[in-house]
Amino acid sequence: MINGKKILFSGMQATGSLTLGNYLGALKNWVALSDEYDCFYSVVDMHSITIRQDPSILRKRARKLLSTYIAAGIDPAKSCIYYQSHVSAHAEMMWILSCFTYIGELNRMTQFKDKSEKHANNINAGLFTYPILMAADILLYQADVVPVGVDQIQHLEITRNIAERFNNLYGDVFTIPEAYVGKIGAKIMSLQDPLKKMSKSDENPNGSIYLMDNVDTVIKKCKRAITDSKGMILYLDEQPGVKNLIDIYCSCTGKQPCETVKEFEGKGYKVLKEAVGEEVNSILQPLQRRVAEIEKDTVYLNSIIKNNSEKAEYFANQTLRKIQKKVGFPERLR
Ligand code: TYM
């Protein structure tokens, strides 16, 4: 608890361009929850280097991501928005937690398996221990809640297991975090393969809508979205392409799938696709304008980066010192 409020932590990687999945599955919920909780939103650049990055591009993307958090509606005067690499406690905590994590647990992580297949020539140790860094992120801030998309649930589970194991040995030091997953939009699928999640790293750019896509590109991508030959707009698992379009539509408009099915009753897929494109654009256009404005204001952005990383560091160090003491590291003498 900080000032009587529960604590929220979440993060996003500055790898590739953000997709509509990142927005609807995570960022949108971050904004909705930001008044209720005391929030820490990190640009998790340390996670990004598990895959080879061009240093100057990573730096630019990290700054754009920070601007996107603000543009989406997170108020940096209330919520702590910061770069993970500016708070060294993340790496220190990760080392300690590594000693409380089993190889067998890490072996079960599906994202590690997926990523090692995709990057077969660079299966580095960081890719394997990635969930421990994520656990360190969350546990450092004693987070009560972690809003994420469905693909991160397994990482939340391992975080809880590590925290419980530690608490069993040393007393109740860590808050056990809960995942917060939105009812709609928690797993936005690829427009080209609705059985696969929409992803920043998809080789086919038509599968993903990027937050910085222009109006025409969004419309084109929605028009080309893979559906089926049934010709009925229903919200069914057997129609994953149509279901995904309904999910996107509902997530953008706040409507329910059953209302949407009624709204489009008797209409063709073309009408649905056009409506989805329009709704997406009505979110992306103002977002893009705000990102551009914020990015231009270097002084403002730099002050946020500096002040918030100090705030994050203060909280993170409090937990780190407590944990260092618990495991038996000698006290610091002043
Ligand atoms: P990342 O950067 O891949 O994704 C950021 C957030 O977006 C969600 N997301 C989606 N939601 C719905 N549909 C999709 N297609 C979709 N694609 C992505 C993700 O679930 C995530 O919430 N390991 C994390 C970053 C991280 C983190 C943390 C998150 C590092 N430390 C601590 C929470 C707490 C990741 O790579 O997310």
Side-chain angles (χ1 to χ4, degrees):
M1 289 266 193
I2 304 173
N3 305 324
K5 280 188 180 176
K6 285 190 168 181
I7 301 169
L8 179 155
F9 182 93
S10 204
M12 238 178 237
Q13 290 200 61
T15 329
S17 305
L18 283 205
T19 71
L20 187 65
N22 296 127
Y23 181 80
L24 298 177
L27 199 46
K28 189 169 165 260
N29 295 332
W30 295 8
V31 178
L33 296 169
S34 62
D35 280 338
E36 195 183 327
Y37 292 89
D38 216 307
C39 305
F40 294 87
Y41 297 114
S42 186
V43 169
V44 292
D45 47 358
M46 287 162 69
H47 279 90
S48 295
I49 61 163
T50 50
I51 288 163
R52 290 282 172 268
Q53 305 289 336
D54 175 317
S56 67
I57 295 178
L58 179 60
R59 238 186 308 275
K60 271 191 204 135
R61 283 195 173 137
R63 203 168 165 95
K64 187 167 215 92
L65 184 52
L66 206 100
S67 310
T68 308
Y69 287 1
I70 303 168
I74 294 166
D75 179 356
K78 290 189 196 147
S79 300
C80 185
I81 302 178
Y82 73 99
Y83 293 131
Q84 184 188 31
S85 63
H86 284 189
V87 180
S88 52
H90 287 254
E92 293 181 69
M93 180 66 109
M94 183 199 174
W95 173 251
I96 297 177
L97 297 182
S98 301
C99 303
F100 295 85
T101 308
Y102 297 114
I103 296 284
E105 286 177 300
L106 294 174
N107 270 332
R108 285 196 289 276
M109 296 294 115
T110 53
Q111 205 160 81
F112 171 67
K113 289 178 198 156
D114 293 346
K115 287 199 178 168
S116 4
E117 268 171 32
K118 248 191 196 158
H119 304 278
N121 57 356
N122 181 24
I123 308 176
N124 59 70
L127 203 58
F128 187 60
T129 55
Y130 177 115
I132 313 177
L133 181 56
M134 195 162 148
D137 301 341
I138 297 166
L139 300 179
L140 265 180
Y141 298 91
Q142 303 285 12
D144 296 280
V145 68
V146 183
V148 283
V150 165
D151 62 325
Q152 296 299 320
I153 297 281
Q154 205 186 22
H155 291 157
L156 249 293
E157 287 304 318
I158 194 173
T159 300
R160 290 166 60 90
N161 291 343
I162 297 169
E164 275 164 5
R165 185 169 305 134
F166 199 94
N167 283 356
N168 284 340
L169 287 164
Y170 298 104
D172 277 343
V173 269
F174 285 129
T175 302
I176 307 297
E178 298 279 347
Y180 175 97
V181 178
K183 282 200 182 74
I184 299 171
K187 194 170 188 189
I188 300 295
M189 310 308 276
S190 157
L191 298 179
Q192 289 299 308
D193 179 357
L195 297 177
K196 232 175 63 184
K197 84 164 184 181
M198 185 180 282
S199 161
K200 286 180 233 166
S201 57
D202 194 337
E203 272 141 35
N204 181 353
N206 288 325
S208 303
I209 294 177
Y210 299 105
L211 295 192
M212 295 301 140
D213 276 348
N214 66 33
V215 172
D216 293 343
T217 307
V218 170
I219 300 283
K220 229 185 273 165
K221 286 181 179 176
C222 289
K223 270 192 187 154
R224 285 193 197 144
I226 300 291
T227 46
D228 52 59
S229 55
K230 293 201 166 78
M232 307 251 281
I233 298 177
L234 295 171
Y235 192 68
L236 299 173
D237 288 342
E238 299 85 86
Q239 291 182 257
V242 175
K243 189 171 187 234
N244 190 38
L245 288 171
I246 296 177
D247 272 336
I248 296 175
Y249 185 77
C250 289
S251 202
C252 291
T253 58
K255 292 181 184 168
Q256 290 301 314
C258 55
E259 284 180 72
T260 305
V261 167
K262 264 198 203 131
E263 185 181 334
F264 289 94
E265 201 179 327
K267 294 186 179 143
Y269 291 164
K270 189 166 169 264
V271 179
L272 175 65
K273 288 176 179 180
E274 278 167 4
V276 171
E278 272 165 32
E279 290 303 335
V280 170
N281 275 329
S282 73
I283 289 179
L284 296 195
Q285 283 302 298
L287 182 73
Q288 290 174 10
R289 279 194 294 274
R290 284 198 297 272
V291 171
E293 275 166 27
I294 293 162
E295 276 188 312
K296 256 193 271 165
D297 200 342
T298 314
V299 176
Y300 169 68
L301 212 49
N302 286 350
S303 77
I304 287 162
I305 292 168
K306 185 170 178 297
N307 296 338
N308 279 344
S309 71
E310 281 168 7
K311 181 177 170 194
E313 202 157 32
Y314 173 78
F315 284 103
N317 280 340
Q318 277 189 333
T319 309
L320 180 66
R321 299 289 171 254
K322 211 194 254 179
I323 299 308
Q324 287 173 327
K325 195 170 169 197
K326 288 282 177 191
V327 298
F329 294 170
E331 240 177 273
R332 286 162 191 249
L333 303 175
R334 287 177 211 287

